[in-house]
Amino acid sequence: MQDLFSVKDKVVHVSGGSRGIGRAIADGFVQAGATVVISSRDEAALQSTGLAYEVCDVTDAAQVDRCASNIVERFGRIDVLFNVAGINFRHAAETFPADKLQAILDVNVKGNYLMARSCGFHMVAQQKGKIINIASLHTLQSLAGVSAYGMSKGAIGSMTRALAVEWASQNVQVNAIAPGFIVTDLNRKLWDDPTMRGWVEDRTPAHRLGQPSDLVGLSIFLASGASDFITGQVIAADGGFTSGSTWPLVVPR
Ligand code: NAI
């Protein structure tokens, strides 16, 4: 039974793995005995982790291709890709800066597609692989002031389903994790604001913010043989936020 969930000796690539959610996933897989390679743009940040790494900007198709080929050359194959690289910018929709829109689409949509394509190329050749995209609660519902990011994360849901149906017969499963509000560098300042923090704690049925480590269990499940018949799914890890809310109704207990 334990083997069903084993990721031991799997070659796991975490794109955007230098910090935050990607770093927690990378550390979780190291602890589980996997061979982990992280990638991002910042070599100093990558080097400071002590993990194996590739320098790669996901918006550059040639760099992404090279990153995937280098991993196969160094480790023999790519068993699992975590597509984690992502950026956000919050602004009113009616005056949303065009350059920021482009940057978000470049990293979150084009970049994640390029990485799935290049790693998927090797997985199709291997006739085995797992791709786990990091979606968002914005993939499932919307919040005001985050329209471009929300749209990009909607695309992650479509990409997950599209690649899943295309590669299911090649034994490559593609799923997505939709994290709720997770405290990282991307949003730490936001959660220092007591009004914002209070809103999340109130609205989330679990009544707390998430930590990157809250995503590790689901990540391991989706990378293991236990999930071999699951593909094209967006699975929320959000303390119940997208399922509904508690409310002030008082009921007998
Ligand atoms: P973070 O800002 O701490 O990490 C983002 C990672 O992406 C970093 O490693 C960064 O170097 C990398 N990255 C950015 N642009 C890149 C590029 N062009 N090429 C290669 N790497 C690049 O953010 P966090 O919070 O860890 O977010 C990770 C992912 O999780 C993102 O896709 C984000 O949208 C998603 N997410 C985060 C949530 C949260 O509450 N923190 C909630 C839902 C989704």
Side-chain angles (χ1 to χ4, degrees):
M1 177 58 84
Q2 234 175 354
D3 280 358
L4 192 58
F5 295 91
S6 174
V7 292
K8 195 169 178 317
D9 299 329
K10 283 190 189 290
V11 178
V12 179
H13 173 209
V14 184
S15 152
S18 59
R19 61 175 198 229
I21 289 173
R23 180 68 200 278
I25 291 172
D27 288 346
F29 276 80
V30 168
Q31 278 176 35
T35 300
V36 175
V37 190
I38 60 172
S39 66
S40 78
R41 290 162 304 176
D42 182 350
E43 179 151 25
L46 288 163
Q47 204 166 28
S48 72
T49 66
L51 298 169
Y53 67 86
E54 290 287 330
V55 180
C56 177
D57 182 336
V58 293
T59 65
D60 182 322
Q63 285 189 37
V64 174
D65 258 349
R66 201 176 325 122
C67 171
S69 306
N70 284 351
I71 293 171
V72 173
E73 215 165 278
R74 290 171 68 189
F75 301 99
R77 58 187 198 279
I78 305 176
D79 295 312
V80 182
L81 163 67
F82 280 92
N83 236 339
V84 188
I87 58 172
N88 191 4
F89 184 74
R90 303 177 196 96
H91 200 278
E94 65 274 19
T95 51
F96 202 92
D99 60 333
K100 300 289 189 195
L101 170 63
Q102 190 63 56
I104 287 174
L105 296 178
D106 278 351
V107 177
N108 297 10
V109 181
K110 178 186 159 195
N112 279 255
Y113 183 89
L114 289 174
M115 187 55 86
R117 180 186 73 149
S118 295
C119 293
F121 174 85
H122 296 284
M123 292 176 181
V124 168
Q126 296 163 183
Q127 290 288 290
K128 193 171 169 59
K130 301 265 189 191
I131 295 177
I132 298 109
N133 300 312
I134 303 300
S136 163
L137 59 83
H138 294 265
T139 310
L140 305 165
Q141 63 183 55
S142 297
L143 286 167
V146 206
S147 56
Y149 176 82
M151 177 170 67
S152 76
K153 290 296 181 177
I156 293 291
S158 302
M159 181 178 84
T160 300
R161 288 183 289 276
L163 297 179
V165 296
E166 188 154 335
W167 289 338
S169 60
Q170 316 291 321
N171 194 25
V172 177
Q173 291 84 45
V174 186
N175 291 293
I177 294 173
F181 301 99
I182 310 288
V183 185
T184 68
D185 293 347
L186 193 71
N187 56 29
R188 201 173 305 279
K189 255 198 229 142
L190 199 66
W191 306 127
D192 286 344
D193 175 345
T195 307
M196 288 300 297
R197 197 180 185 99
W199 178 82
V200 170
E201 289 170 353
D202 190 38
R203 278 286 317 276
T204 303
H207 296 306
R208 69 170 175 90
L209 283 154
Q211 298 298 324
S213 56
D214 284 316
L215 306 176
V216 173
L218 178 55
S219 299
I220 287 184
F221 167 64
L222 289 174
S224 74
S227 60
D228 277 356
F229 201 51
I230 299 171
T231 198
Q233 299 304 306
V234 177
I235 301 174
D238 65 358
F241 185 87
T242 51
S243 298
S245 309
T246 53
W247 57 333
L249 180 73
V250 178
V251 287
R253 290 218 118 81

